[in-house]
Amino acid sequence: MGKKELIMKKLKLDELLDFLRNMEPAPPPEPLQSHMDISVDELYKRNLTSQKWDDGESRNIITIPKFPNCKRCYEGYLHHHTQDAMVACPHCLGAWRKAKRIERARLPVDAAGKTFANYQITPSFEEVGKTIINWSERETKEKGALLYGPPGTGKSHFAYAIAHELLWRDFRVRYATHTSLLDLERLTWNDKSRQSPLRTLLKDVDVLILDEVGGVGGGYGKVTDWQKRTTSEMLDNIYRQWASGELYVLFISNVPLNTFQRTYNKAIQSRLQEMLKPVFIDQTDKRQR
C-alpha cells in the first residue's frame, strides 16, 4: 500500500473517530412498571398470575409467571450499594420471588383474588383471624382451628384470605385437601418414583391449611380401613410437627365434628382435641341466596 493510500485511510479513521466522539448517547430505555412492595391485591389487579394443571394436586393451581425485566437493572440484578455483590432487583426479580410463594403454596385457582380486601368477615371468623394474626406476630405454639359447618358459608374463602395474608408476611404456607392427599398416596402404589405425600406434605412449611377434612367418606359414607389408616398416619405427622411448635394448622370441613372424630381411634381423637379448637360456622349458604 502506497503512502497516499495510507494517508487517506488515516483521514477516514480520524473522521470516524470524530463522528463517534460527537455522537449523542442513546437515551436509556424507559423503565417498566415497578412491582416493588406490591400488595397481594395489586398482584391480581395487574393480571400477574396464571394457572396450570398440577398432576400432584390433580387440579389447576395458581402460578406466577416471571415478571419482565424492569429496565432498571441487569437481567434482574443490581449492584449492592455497600458490598461487592449483586442482589435481586426489588422492582422485578425480587418482587417476583416474593409473589412466587403463592405458587409454592399450591393454592387452587378458586383462591385467585380472594383476600381480606374483598371478604366481609363475620364474627364467626373474626376471632379465628385475630388468633392467627397474633400467632404470626409471636410465632409461639398456638392451638389451631377446625372450621366446620354446612357448605357455602365462606370457610374456604376465609382460608384463602388467611393464606394470602400469611404468604405476604413471609410465612411458608401449604394448602391441600384431604381428598387430594389420599389420591396422591394411592398413586404411589404402582408408581415407585412418586414420593408419598405423608413424607413431603410438611417439608419447609410453617402453616398447613387442610380443606375438605373428612370429605372422603368422612361420615357421609363408608370409610375403608385403608382410608382410616392413611388419614390417621397423616394426622399423627401433622400433630407431631404442631406439638414441636413448628407448625400452625387450619382445618376446614363440612362434616359434623363428632361424626369425623368418631371415625378414628381415641388416640387420634385426643390429639385433634389438643391441636384444634372447633369453630362452628352457622351461616346461610351464600350460594343459595
Side-chain angles (χ1 to χ4, degrees), residues 8-18:
M8 292 301 294
K9 187 173 183 180
K10 185 176 184 304
L11 286 172
K12 289 181 179 180
L13 180 59
D14 290 341
E15 290 175 1
L16 177 61
L17 290 173
D18 287 339

Side-chain angles (χ1 to χ4, degrees), residues 137-154:
E137 294 169 351
R138 299 192 311 267
E139 292 188 58
T140 56
K141 183 179 174 182
E142 183 76 45
K143 196 163 189 171
L146 167 61
L147 306 182
Y148 71 101
T153 53

Side-chain angles (χ1 to χ4, degrees), residues 55-266:
D55 286 332
E57 300 298 314
S58 296
R59 63 171 180 266
N60 284 316
I61 64 169
I62 301 170
T63 59
I64 313 294
K66 193 169 183 179
F67 297 167
N69 187 288
C70 67
K71 310 299 183 185
R72 299 173 181 84
C73 58
Y74 179 73
E75 298 297 328
Y77 290 92
L78 294 169
H79 280 288
H80 194 280
H81 64 285
T82 61
Q83 301 177 12
D84 184 19
M86 300 291 284
V87 294
C89 175
H91 301 282
C92 55
L93 182 61
W96 173 73
R97 286 178 174 174
K98 181 171 184 175
K100 195 75 171 172
R101 297 169 189 164
I102 291 179
E103 187 171 327
R104 290 194 293 270
R106 299 183 185 177
L107 291 176
V109 292
D110 290 346
K114 291 182 178 176
T115 69
F116 283 122
N118 53 36
Y119 183 76
Q120 186 175 0
I121 194 165
T122 62
S124 302
F125 293 110
E126 189 172 8
E127 183 181 349
V128 178
K130 287 180 179 178
T131 300
I132 296 174
I133 297 304
N134 288 339
W135 167 84
S136 73
E137 294 169 351
R138 299 192 311 267
E139 292 188 58
T140 56
K141 183 179 174 182
E142 183 76 45
K143 196 163 189 171
L146 167 61
L147 306 182
Y148 71 101
T153 53
K155 299 185 298 298
S156 291
H157 191 150
F158 175 79
Y160 299 151
I162 279 291
H164 283 121
E165 180 70 26
L166 293 175
L167 286 164
W168 246 245
R169 290 173 180 248
D170 297 336
F171 287 95
R172 299 169 297 180
V173 177
R174 176 70 162 90
Y175 174 91
T177 67
H178 189 183
T179 308
S180 66
L181 292 176
L182 289 179
D183 288 342
L184 281 173
E185 183 64 21
R186 193 178 287 108
L187 289 174
T188 64
W189 295 352
N190 298 319
D191 186 352
K192 300 304 178 184
S193 65
R194 287 181 176 269
Q195 288 187 303
S196 167
L198 301 182
R199 297 185 179 88
T200 61
L201 175 66
L202 303 177
K203 184 179 180 182
D204 299 325
V205 172
D206 302 313
V207 180
L208 173 66
I209 298 175
L210 188 62
D211 207 346
E212 300 175 8
V213 177
V216 185
Y220 291 137
K222 180 175 175 56
V223 182
T224 67
D225 289 340
W226 175 81
Q227 288 173 345
K228 289 182 182 180
R229 185 171 62 253
T230 304
T231 300
S232 295
E233 184 179 349
M234 176 187 68
L235 294 175
D236 184 61
N237 291 343
I238 294 170
Y239 170 82
R240 290 178 186 278
Q241 192 152 326
W242 169 83
S244 69
E246 299 176 359
L247 185 70
Y248 183 87
V249 291
L250 176 63
F251 283 13
I252 314 292
S253 180
N254 295 327
V255 178
L257 179 64
N258 292 336
T259 304
F260 174 68
Q261 284 186 335
R262 68 170 176 259
T263 304
Y264 302 98
N265 61 45
K266 291 184 178 180

Side-chain angles (χ1 to χ4, degrees), residues 23-38:
M23 187 174 65
E24 292 186 9
E30 190 71 24
L32 301 181
Q33 182 179 25
S34 170
H35 299 309
M36 183 169 64
D37 298 326
I38 186 174

